[in-house]
Amino acid sequence: MPRNHHPHPSEVTPESVYLNRRAFIKRASVAGIGGALIAGGVVAKQRNAPRVEGTFDDELTPWETVTGYNNFYEFGTGKGDPKKNAQDFKTDPWAIEVTGEVSEKRTFSLEELIDGLTIEERIYRLRCVEGWSMVVPWNGFMLKDLIERLGPTEDANFVEFTTLMDRRQMPGQNSPILPWPYVEALRMDEAMHPLTIMVTGVYGKTLPPQNGAPIRLMVPWKYGFKSGKSIVKIRFTKRQPRTTWNEAIPREYGFYANVNPEVDHPRWSQATERRLGEFFRRDTLMFNGYEEVASLYEGMDLTRYY
Ligand code: MTE
């Protein structure tokens, strides 16, 4: 991943126009309670008020930055490319194949797959391996709820997510910068953790194409590259799947990719980060501040399993 974490000045919204968390919660509560959220063109149930997971004092990153400073190599490697190149990306209709170690292998429409799942608003950090971070109000449902619905077999130890392969719509797939399609995976206990969500919206709106429409993963304690976008296939496996960045540069990108200030990337430190919109770097927190996941890795050498 090229290390380019200097947003253009126009991407940094002045502090006065930041939507602060309190204002956001107020707005979201008014819109959310008893209401419904549009998710990938689907109206899903919403019962819960917005949840703030471990980011209580953090200001939200403005919409313009969240939707204008992206990593989505299928649409180009520049941070502004996805917004520019993904606008005509077709996300409706959308089908998702469910396969592997699962009781019923079949292809679902997005609507069928997520029908009735509870969409909530959760404010999560996104920490990129390149050293920048954002605080984003994602709209999504727990991956756990979906997995329970799909019924993986006892042999399912991992779950793999594959992004759409479509060279016509995704010009980046015409160059060999990565082995396509983009594939990421989680260990089953990571996938079942209540912090792990599937995202269908952001800031209360349908997810824009550049952020991974119509559906993407969000694993807030891991570096952003684990959170695959525009998912078309979910496969349950017995063995650890091959994943894109790990396959491309294994020494730099591990399977686990847990945010860890003590384990540096071979070419740069991971001890600090630059929150987009802020001037000074801040200390990076273990597991991106989501310490409740530490028990998943008890007894593992995190310098080896990076
Ligand atoms: N998913 C796909 N399919 N292709 C990508 O290039 N980039 C990843 C991840 N998911 C990527 C992807 C990386 S490196 C990051 S940091 C996040 O998406 C960025 O998500 P955002 O653009 O919504 O902030």
Side-chain angles (χ1 to χ4, degrees):
M1 263 179 252
R3 192 170 191 221
N4 168 14
H5 50 81
H6 303 287
H8 189 270
S10 68
E11 288 169 335
V12 181
T13 308
E15 213 165 281
S16 58
V17 303
Y18 277 16
L19 191 54
N20 71 38
R21 175 191 154 256
R22 194 163 295 180
F24 168 74
I25 297 280
K26 231 158 117 191
R27 179 190 67 72
S29 310
V30 170
I33 306 266
L37 269 175
I38 306 294
V42 183
V43 179
K45 273 192 279 171
Q46 191 204 18
R47 282 184 248 116
N48 302 345
R51 277 166 64 155
V52 182
E53 302 281 4
T55 56
F56 290 95
D57 296 326
D58 296 4
E59 297 228 13
L60 294 182
T61 303
W63 162 267
E64 289 72 24
T65 310
V66 172
T67 62
Y69 188 91
N70 300 100
N71 270 339
F72 200 167
Y73 279 15
E74 286 85 339
F75 293 104
T77 55
K79 303 299 175 202
D81 290 346
K83 181 176 177 184
K84 207 169 59 205
N85 299 332
Q87 288 320 304
D88 297 329
F89 183 52
K90 204 165 169 284
T91 57
D92 185 22
W94 193 265
I96 298 181
E97 182 191 353
V98 175
T99 187
E101 296 291 345
V102 64
S103 52
E104 192 194 357
K105 297 183 186 46
R106 63 168 275 210
T107 298
F108 296 82
S109 69
L110 177 62
E111 290 78 359
E112 289 171 322
L113 193 77
I114 74 171
D115 179 42
L117 296 176
T118 301
I119 306 273
E120 342 161 42
E121 296 185 272
R122 293 199 184 183
I123 299 173
Y124 279 166
R125 296 187 189 89
L126 186 149
R127 167 67 161 82
C128 191
V129 76
E130 297 159 353
W132 50 267
S133 65
M134 303 187 187
V135 180
V136 183
W138 302 106
N139 304 109
F141 55 86
M142 281 190 269
L143 175 57
K144 173 176 176 287
D145 289 348
L146 176 62
I147 291 178
E148 280 167 2
R149 168 181 288 184
L150 297 176
T153 70
E154 275 179 11
D155 284 336
N157 298 321
F158 296 88
V159 54
E160 175 199 82
F161 303 89
T162 305
T163 295
L164 180 70
M165 181 76 202
D166 182 348
R167 290 205 165 91
R168 201 177 43 81
Q169 289 203 80
M170 296 172 141
Q173 291 177 336
N174 292 308
S175 58
I177 30 171
L178 284 177
W180 306 110
Y182 197 99
V183 175
E184 264 309 333
L186 298 172
R187 214 170 58 187
M188 197 57 103
D189 58 345
E190 300 176 317
M192 294 297 285
H193 195 281
L195 281 176
T196 303
I197 60 170
M198 296 295 277
V199 167
T200 53
V202 67
Y203 268 108
K205 300 194 172 115
T206 299
L207 199 62
Q210 61 269 32
N211 291 92
I215 188 163
R216 60 93 59 89
L217 185 66
M218 176 48 55
V219 195
W221 69 92
K222 293 179 181 282
Y223 293 113
F225 73 87
K226 292 298 289 182
S227 294
K229 295 178 167 182
S230 306
I231 291 165
V232 291
K233 186 161 141 193
I234 299 176
R235 184 171 73 105
F236 295 93
T237 67
K238 193 166 181 169
R239 292 174 182 221
Q240 184 175 308
R242 291 160 64 167
T243 52
T244 296
W245 278 102
N246 182 238
E247 199 181 336
I249 322 178
R251 218 171 63 81
E252 302 192 0
Y253 306 109
F255 176 81
Y256 284 93
N258 292 320
V259 174
N260 188 341
E262 289 156 23
V263 175
D264 289 335
H265 183 280
R267 288 184 283 140
W268 53 75
S269 162
Q270 292 290 10
T272 64
E273 68 199 58
R274 202 175 83 80
R275 182 68 48 82
L276 294 184
E278 291 180 355
F279 184 73
F280 293 107
R281 294 184 75 83
R282 47 166 83 208
D283 289 342
T284 289
L285 304 173
M286 187 65 200
F287 298 119
N288 211 12
Y290 301 96
E291 281 161 14
E292 58 267 54
V293 302
S295 61
L296 299 178
Y297 308 102
E298 239 166 48
M300 280 175 70
D301 176 357
L302 297 183
T303 60
R304 184 163 167 224
Y305 296 103
Y306 55 92

